[in-house]
Amino acid sequence: MQLFFIGFGLLAGVLSGIFGIGGGAVIVPPLILLGGLAPIVATGTFLAALLLPVRALGVWEYYRKDHLDIGRPSGLRQDYSLACGSVRVWRSTCRRFS
């Protein structure tokens, strides 16, 4: 089953590159239908899987081309604010549905 999901990941990457569609449109439905995950869990799993590689590689590329000003903390404040807001919404949603 893992190879099946790896194949869907590769397919999502190809479709995203060729047609510009989001990978979630290809990955999330199989996670729900074949993996047995709840829709919110499938979406969260997809987002978590992409968070590190996409952001890390993007930041590295900007840094490599000297298009990144590390001295400015504004991006860090935005990341912190985003993380805090996400956790707050997640906690309130979990309380509501549990």
Side-chain angles (χ1 to χ4, degrees), residues 17-79:
I18 293 174
F19 300 111
I21 62 170
V26 178
I27 294 293
V28 173
L31 287 175
I32 295 168
L33 299 173
L34 303 173
L37 298 178
I40 197 162
V41 175
T43 304
T45 302
F46 167 73
L47 291 173
L50 287 184
L51 181 64
L52 182 62
V54 171
R55 275 192 93 173
L57 292 174
V59 168
W60 174 252
E61 189 64 22
Y62 273 84
Y63 176 77
R64 192 174 68 81
K65 293 185 177 183
D66 200 27
H67 296 303
L68 181 64
D69 186 1
I70 297 176
R72 291 190 175 183
S74 62
L76 296 176
R77 282 194 303 263
Q78 291 170 355
D79 286 348

Side-chain angles (χ1 to χ4, degrees), residues 1-11 26-27 29-31 33-35:
M1 191 58 123
Q2 288 180 350
L3 287 176
F4 179 74
F5 286 117
I6 290 172
F8 260 96
L10 291 172
L11 176 66
V26 178
I27 294 293
L31 287 175
L33 299 173
L34 303 173

